[in-house]
């Protein structure tokens, strides 16, 4: 059963990649969370249309497990969805890695490699070259499966509160100033939860 769920996740993730990096939406009935790949802003609060992360279990690249309990352990979880077939995703990975290393203890950054299952060595190589030291998911079920199936572009980054709610806008495409864009989004989640805003480590 677990193998079947993992295969279904891989299939749905692959469907989300058919349009390619920053491609056009294939299904007008899907949630509208579109932004231009250059980082133009979307309407306020678009990420919630993708779903939530209140109940799921995911396999990590290093063979571990990541669940909603890992989300609950932090005030904010930043989740970057990327693919080995997406050149811009790989180009931005070093900046993503640097952002993750600068975050305080109450905020975590994880990635989801949408085509990582079966391509673990390639995914590991990309992450190592970029200096990324966080958690990377390569399979999953429940809310993660649903969220992945709703994605239309890579890279897509969402910001999740401790209750598993996606807060603010999905950030789609490579950002000209990733640190500023992501920090503002993290602080939006913190403010919504009555938490103090953060600044990045020097």
């Amino acid at each position: 059963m677990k193998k079947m769920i993992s295969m279904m996740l891989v299939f749905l993730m692959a469907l989300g990649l058919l349009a390619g990096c920053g491609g056009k939406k294939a299904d007008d009935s899907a949630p509208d969370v579109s932004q231009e790949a250059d980082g133009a802003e979307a309407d306020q609060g678009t990420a919630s249309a993708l779903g939530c992360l209140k109940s799921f279990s995911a396999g990590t690249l290093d063979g571990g497990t990541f669940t909603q309990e890992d989300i609950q352990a932090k005030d904010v979880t930043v989740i970057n969805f990327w693919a080995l077939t997406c050149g811009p995703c790989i180009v931005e990975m070093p900046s993503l890695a640097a952002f993750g290393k600068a975050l305080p203890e109450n905020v975590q950054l994880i990635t989801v490699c949408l085509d990582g299952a079966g391509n673990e060595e390639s995914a590991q190589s990309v992450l190592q070259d970029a200096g990324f030291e966080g958690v990377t998911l390569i399979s999953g079920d429940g809310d993660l499966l649903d969220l992945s199936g709703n994605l239309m572009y890579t890279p897509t980054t969402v910001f999740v509160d401790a209750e598993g709610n996606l807060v603010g806008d999905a950030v789609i495409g490579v950002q000209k100033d990733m640190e500023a864009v992501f920090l503002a989004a993290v602080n939006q989640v913190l403010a919504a939860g009555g938490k103090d805003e953060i600044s990045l480590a020097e």
Side-chain angles (χ1 to χ4, degrees), residues 177-195:
D177 189 351
M178 174 189 287
E179 181 178 298
V181 172
F182 284 13
L183 181 60
V186 166
N187 281 328
Q188 180 181 3
V189 179
L190 290 169
K195 305 284 186 180

Side-chain angles (χ1 to χ4, degrees), residues 136-155:
T136 292
L137 312 183
I138 58 171
S139 66
D141 61 19
D143 290 340
L144 179 64
L145 180 64
D146 293 340
L147 195 164
S148 299
N150 286 334
L151 296 176
M152 291 291 157
Y153 304 90
T154 54

Side-chain angles (χ1 to χ4, degrees), residues 19-166:
C21 299
K24 303 251 186 214
K25 283 198 310 178
D27 180 2
D28 288 337
S29 66
D32 183 4
V33 294
S34 60
Q35 288 180 308
E36 295 300 321
D38 65 1
E41 292 187 20
D43 292 337
Q44 184 68 23
T46 57
S48 62
L50 290 170
C52 66
L53 287 171
K54 295 178 183 290
S55 178
F56 71 96
S57 180
T60 65
L61 186 58
D62 63 3
T65 302
F66 191 94
T67 72
Q68 69 276 357
E69 292 180 2
D70 296 292
I71 298 283
Q72 294 164 2
K74 301 291 183 179
D75 292 332
V76 183
T77 299
V78 181
I79 306 178
N80 176 263
F81 292 86
W82 65 287
L84 292 164
T85 55
C86 172
C89 298
I90 294 171
V91 167
E92 78 167 0
M93 194 60 69
S95 296
L96 195 69
F99 179 77
K101 289 176 184 175
L103 292 171
E105 285 295 317
N106 64 321
V107 181
Q108 66 183 333
L109 167 68
I110 68 169
T111 77
V112 179
C113 184
L114 297 172
D115 52 359
N119 297 301
E120 289 86 355
E121 288 185 13
S122 295
Q124 191 65 53
S125 177
V126 167
L127 295 168
Q128 285 178 346
D129 289 347
F132 183 78
E133 298 173 356
V135 172
T136 292
L137 312 183
I138 58 171
S139 66
D141 61 19
D143 290 340
L144 179 64
L145 180 64
D146 293 340
L147 195 164
S148 299
N150 286 334
L151 296 176
M152 291 291 157
Y153 304 90
T154 54
T156 292
T157 303
V158 297
F159 303 84
V160 187
D161 68 16
E163 296 180 359
N165 300 305
L166 276 61

